[in-house]
């Protein structure tokens, strides 16, 4: 904050002058004087784990290009990430992704390189999909679970060489779990946390491929842009063989045609400028986390601490499609086999016949009895009413079932809702596969 006029502010820790909180002695007052040209930083403390050293939130490598466009940032792990851009607004960014192309700073994601002769063996034991089937230059969405089948983390696993994998996920706990498993089994593998060394952009929307055709140059020995199928990956350069190198994957968090760019910190400004220049003819829009949350809920995509959380197994989180129970073994398989045979809860969609958006964790009732909880909800601009994802007891999860979402302590106000399948839009992911 900046004062409108020169002034001196004095405060103490004493809330009043009646109670002898400090034995009637005022707390020491510390005064800082800043020169007018001194930038005033804002930051929050971040710890990977409660016993880990504290770090102060940092600006993204793209910040020099983001700061002129918005002042609305929020913490994304240890980085500041844009929430929205006032020139477009959340709805403008949403429709930009639906109809044209958007670019979003996703540098807050965690990235790990898993390298070594036992890399496949480690990932085969740690993840829920069959890594032995994963070809070089291909990726898959997969999970890391604990022994009870609860989802620790989700992410995309790419195979860049027979013994080199890249794991892009949401939490540092993935790396700790992988390293602990490698140590326990004595595996010859290195789990290398890239931390802030590889910033990334998500380029999403129906015009994303057209944009990248203008700037992506690939050598003959790696897959070309037009050869990338859903979850394909390649290494490319900016415009020509002398340009900045970056990793390009056909993936994203929108359920639409889209790509993700991962690059070195030294090349971020050049790549951002090239993307914005190439996207100008397609009406490119920068997108923040608020618009992304609307799109990912419409697409039925799970989020940590919402659809999956401690005590929620992969099937209850709606992520059963990413679990391969035909594998010989993986962490959590026994529990997931048991839970698959006798499911108690499942993730379903809710069509809410109004614009009121329920809160995360709002109780869902069938009459007077609670039948589930809301995990995520938003107002869908495309459907023009509120929608939500919910974890429901199987007895109330049949499509067409009418339920009520509790507001104001769960009983003083309720929203009517109808159970449906997810995704809400494009249920067969045809747009992402386009």
């Amino acid at each position: 904050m900046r004062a409108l006029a020169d002034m001196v502010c004095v405060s103490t820790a004493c809330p009043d002058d009646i109670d002898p909180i400090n034995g009637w002695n005022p707390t020491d007052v510390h005064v800082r004087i800043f020169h007018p040209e001194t930038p005033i930083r804002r930051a929050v403390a971040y710890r990977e784990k409660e016993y880990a050293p504290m770090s102060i939130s940092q600006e993204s490598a793209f910040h020099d290009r983001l700061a002129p466009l918005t002042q609305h940032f929020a913490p994304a792990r240890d980085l500041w990430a844009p929430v929205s851009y006032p020139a477009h607004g959340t709805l403008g960014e949403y429709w930009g992704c639906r109809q044209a192309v958007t670019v979003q700073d996703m540098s807050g994601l965690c990235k790990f390189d898993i390298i070594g002769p036992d890399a496949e063996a480690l990932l085969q034991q740690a993840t829920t999909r069959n890594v032995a089937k994963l070809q070089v230059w291909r990726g898959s969405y997969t999970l890391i679970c604990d022994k009870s089948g609860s989802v620790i983390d989700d992410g995309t696993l790419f195979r860049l060489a027979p013994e080199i994998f890249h794991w892009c996920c949401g939490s540092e706990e993935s790396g700790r779990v992988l390293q602990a498993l490698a140590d326990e089994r004595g595996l010859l593998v290195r789990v290398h946390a890239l931390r802030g060394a590889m910033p990334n952009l998500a380029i999403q929307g129906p015009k994303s491929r057209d944009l990248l055709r203008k700037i992506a140059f690939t050598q003959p020995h790696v897959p070309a842009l037009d050869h990338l199928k859903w979850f394909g990956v390649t290494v490319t350069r900016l415009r020509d063989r002398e340009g900045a190198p970056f990793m390009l994957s056909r993936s994203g968090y929108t359920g639409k045609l889209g790509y993700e760019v991962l690059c070195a910190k030294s090349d971020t400004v050049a790549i951002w400028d090239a993307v914005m220049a190439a996207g100008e003819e397609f009406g490119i829009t920068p997108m923040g986390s608020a618009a992304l949350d609307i799109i990912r809920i419409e697409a039925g995509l799970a989020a940590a601490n919402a659809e999956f959380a401690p005590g929620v197994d992969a099937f209850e989180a709606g992520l059963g499609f990413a679990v391969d129970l035909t594998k010989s073994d993986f962490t959590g398989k026994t529990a997931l086999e048991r839970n698959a045979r006798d499911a108690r809860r499942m993730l379903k969609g809710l069509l809410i016949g109004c614009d009121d958006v329920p809160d995360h964790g709002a109780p869902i009732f069938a009459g007077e009895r609670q039948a589930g909880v809301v995990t995520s909800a938003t107002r869908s601009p495309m459907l023009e009413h509120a929608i939500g994802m919910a974890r429901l007891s199987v007895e109330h999860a049949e499509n067409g079932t009418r339920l009520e979402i509790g507001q104001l302590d769960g009983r003083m106000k309720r929203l009517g809702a109808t159970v449906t399948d997810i995704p809400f839009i494009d249920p067969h992911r045809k747009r992402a596969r386009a």
Side-chain angles (χ1 to χ4, degrees), residues 203-286:
I203 302 171
Q204 304 285 303
K207 299 294 184 181
S208 56
R209 184 188 289 122
D210 296 330
L211 184 156
L212 286 164
R213 282 184 179 130
K214 298 174 65 175
I215 63 172
F217 172 84
T218 52
Q219 300 280 12
H221 64 281
V222 298
L225 170 66
D226 286 329
H227 295 160
L228 291 184
K229 302 298 183 182
W230 199 22
F231 285 107
V233 63
T234 189
V235 176
T236 184
R237 287 184 175 270
L238 192 59
R239 296 193 182 92
D240 56 44
R241 67 181 65 251
E242 303 299 327
F246 57 92
M247 177 176 154
L248 178 66
S249 64
R250 185 171 164 182
S251 54
Y253 198 41
T254 62
K256 300 185 66 61
L257 174 66
Y259 298 82
E260 293 180 286
V261 169
L262 297 93
C263 63
K265 293 179 72 172
S266 58
D267 297 323
T268 52
V269 171
I271 289 175
W272 174 275
D273 290 345
V275 169
M276 295 302 289
E280 187 174 356
E281 73 169 282
F282 306 113
I284 190 170
T285 305

Side-chain angles (χ1 to χ4, degrees), residues 8-348:
V8 176
C9 297
V10 178
S11 64
T12 79
C14 300
D16 56 52
D17 58 359
I18 299 174
D19 303 315
I21 294 176
N22 293 322
W24 303 108
N25 296 316
T27 305
D28 291 343
V29 176
H30 297 271
V31 178
R32 286 187 177 182
I33 300 174
F34 294 92
H35 294 289
E37 64 274 8
T38 302
I40 299 176
R41 290 189 59 197
R42 61 174 186 165
V44 296
Y46 178 78
R47 296 180 190 271
E48 294 184 5
K49 194 70 175 173
E50 57 271 15
Y51 52 76
M54 181 187 71
S55 61
I56 298 300
S57 54
Q58 302 293 314
E59 294 172 346
S60 162
F62 295 100
H63 188 78
D64 287 346
R65 290 297 183 265
L66 301 176
L69 303 177
T70 183
Q71 296 180 347
H72 192 184
F73 292 86
R77 293 180 49 256
D78 59 342
L79 296 178
W80 290 106
V83 176
S84 63
Y85 295 85
H88 306 279
T90 298
L91 277 180
E93 298 160 28
Y94 167 90
W95 286 113
C97 187
R98 283 271 174 221
Q99 298 174 343
V101 61
T102 56
V103 59
Q104 183 175 13
D105 181 9
M106 298 293 287
S107 301
L109 293 173
C110 293
K111 296 102 178 176
F112 296 89
D113 284 338
I114 297 98
I115 305 167
D118 291 333
E120 180 181 308
L122 171 63
L123 292 165
Q124 188 76 316
Q125 179 61 39
T127 66
T128 57
R129 277 192 159 154
N130 194 340
V131 181
K133 294 181 178 180
L134 192 61
Q135 299 288 329
V136 175
W137 301 119
R138 291 291 303 161
S140 69
Y141 174 81
T142 188
L143 314 172
I144 293 179
C145 295
D146 62 20
K147 292 181 179 180
S148 68
S150 295
V151 180
I152 294 173
D153 202 1
D154 70 336
T156 310
L157 181 67
F158 296 103
R159 192 170 204 156
L160 306 181
E163 297 178 353
I164 301 176
F165 295 83
H166 180 80
W167 171 237
C168 186
C169 57
S171 168
E172 296 92 345
E173 190 171 359
S174 289
R176 294 194 293 271
V177 170
L178 290 170
Q179 188 62 64
L181 188 58
D183 293 342
E184 176 188 323
R185 300 194 168 214
L187 300 177
L188 297 175
V189 60
R190 181 187 181 198
V191 180
H192 176 58
L194 295 172
R195 301 190 185 278
M198 189 170 276
N200 66 298
L201 295 175
I203 302 171
Q204 304 285 303
K207 299 294 184 181
S208 56
R209 184 188 289 122
D210 296 330
L211 184 156
L212 286 164
R213 282 184 179 130
K214 298 174 65 175
I215 63 172
F217 172 84
T218 52
Q219 300 280 12
H221 64 281
V222 298
L225 170 66
D226 286 329
H227 295 160
L228 291 184
K229 302 298 183 182
W230 199 22
F231 285 107
V233 63
T234 189
V235 176
T236 184
R237 287 184 175 270
L238 192 59
R239 296 193 182 92
D240 56 44
R241 67 181 65 251
E242 303 299 327
F246 57 92
M247 177 176 154
L248 178 66
S249 64
R250 185 171 164 182
S251 54
Y253 198 41
T254 62
K256 300 185 66 61
L257 174 66
Y259 298 82
E260 293 180 286
V261 169
L262 297 93
C263 63
K265 293 179 72 172
S266 58
D267 297 323
T268 52
V269 171
I271 289 175
W272 174 275
D273 290 345
V275 169
M276 295 302 289
E280 187 174 356
E281 73 169 282
F282 306 113
I284 190 170
T285 305
M287 186 168 74
S289 58
L292 178 64
D293 199 47
I294 298 174
I295 294 173
R296 73 98 185 163
I297 293 172
E298 288 183 338
L301 300 176
N305 299 315
E307 283 65 51
F308 63 90
V312 178
D313 75 32
F315 294 109
E316 293 174 337
L319 299 174
F321 66 89
V323 177
D324 184 358
L325 293 177
T326 65
K327 282 177 61 174
S328 59
D329 190 29
F330 61 87
T331 304
K333 180 184 178 184
T334 301
L336 289 171
E337 286 178 326
R338 180 191 63 235
N339 295 353
R341 290 192 300 267
D342 192 16
R344 297 178 303 158
R345 299 177 295 177
M346 60 191 306
L347 194 74
K348 296 288 288 189

